[in-house]
Amino acid sequence: MKTLVNSFLSVNTTMCGAQHFQYDLLYVPDEGVKKAAGYEFAVLYFIKKDEVVEEHVPPSGFIGQLKQLIHDNLDDPDYGKNELSRAVHLSPSQLYRRLKSEAGFTPNLFIRKIKMEKAQELLTSSSLNISEIAYTLGFNDPNYFSRIFQREFGVSPRSFRKC
């Protein structure tokens, strides 16, 4: 079955002058849920000039379960792919294959991305200092947390909070 893609739109948003996110939005009319970049899309997006759009992709049951498990164990520095695979009753290699095919990430990268999303939330909505946020998210070293945050978003946690 062929899928007709009527339009393809790539939007870059910026934060503090650094490239922050890139959205690749597909519009496929009356075709139901489509897979793109490892995610399922069933939403039509209209973007006006200078409008800020936040992408919301509802996770599949498996991805949602993984996210919930990671959120429940955010503060545990030892929570990794082995603990996650045990929680979902898969071997680490089965978890790797399934997560890579459904979300496009390795388990370790997926856990880190969830932690970085939570870091963004805490930096904007809490008065915790950066070290406290790092420990809250299970990082043993606040400097390592800052380096990972900088690598992920292109700005330091301190600069992110100032924006």
Side-chain angles (χ1 to χ4, degrees):
M1 177 176 169
K2 289 190 173 184
T3 302
L4 175 64
V5 177
N6 283 354
S7 65
F8 177 79
L9 182 60
S10 181
V11 177
N12 290 319
T13 62
T14 59
M15 173 183 63
C16 296
Q19 183 172 336
H20 188 63
F21 295 104
Q22 181 175 355
Y23 295 102
D24 292 328
L25 308 176
L26 298 176
Y27 169 56
V28 183
D30 303 319
E31 297 284 336
V33 175
K34 294 294 163 201
K35 282 200 152 221
Y39 294 99
E40 293 180 344
F41 291 87
V43 179
L44 172 62
Y45 291 93
F46 291 97
I47 301 174
K48 295 178 185 174
K49 185 178 180 190
D50 300 326
E51 180 181 7
V52 176
V53 176
E54 184 173 326
E55 181 179 356
H56 174 70
V57 179
S60 67
F62 178 69
I63 300 298
Q65 180 186 9
L66 293 178
K67 284 184 176 182
Q68 186 60 49
L69 287 166
I70 294 166
H71 279 285
D72 292 346
N73 294 285
L74 276 176
D75 61 341
D76 183 359
D78 297 322
Y79 196 79
K81 63 181 177 183
N82 293 330
E83 292 75 20
L84 189 60
S85 65
R86 260 185 249 124
V88 293
H89 308 291
L90 295 172
S91 72
S93 60
Q94 289 172 321
L95 175 65
Y96 177 90
R97 283 191 300 271
R98 186 160 178 194
L99 190 55
K100 189 76 169 166
S101 71
E102 289 190 27
F105 299 112
T106 65
N108 287 335
L109 187 57
F110 186 73
I111 292 168
R112 188 168 57 197
K113 286 202 172 287
I114 299 298
K115 287 185 176 192
M116 290 298 105
E117 288 173 6
K118 186 66 175 179
Q120 281 184 313
E121 180 185 323
L122 291 173
L123 285 165
T124 56
S125 66
S126 77
S127 60
L128 296 173
N129 67 40
I130 293 168
S131 293
E132 291 170 329
I133 291 172
Y135 294 125
T136 299
L137 296 175
F139 288 89
N140 291 327
D141 181 4
N143 290 325
Y144 177 70
F145 165 75
S146 293
R147 283 194 309 272
I148 295 297
F149 191 92
Q150 170 100 28
R151 190 179 309 151
E152 184 76 22
F153 301 114
V155 293
S156 70
R158 180 165 281 121
S159 298
F160 180 86
R161 180 170 264 171
K162 288 179 184 176
C163 289

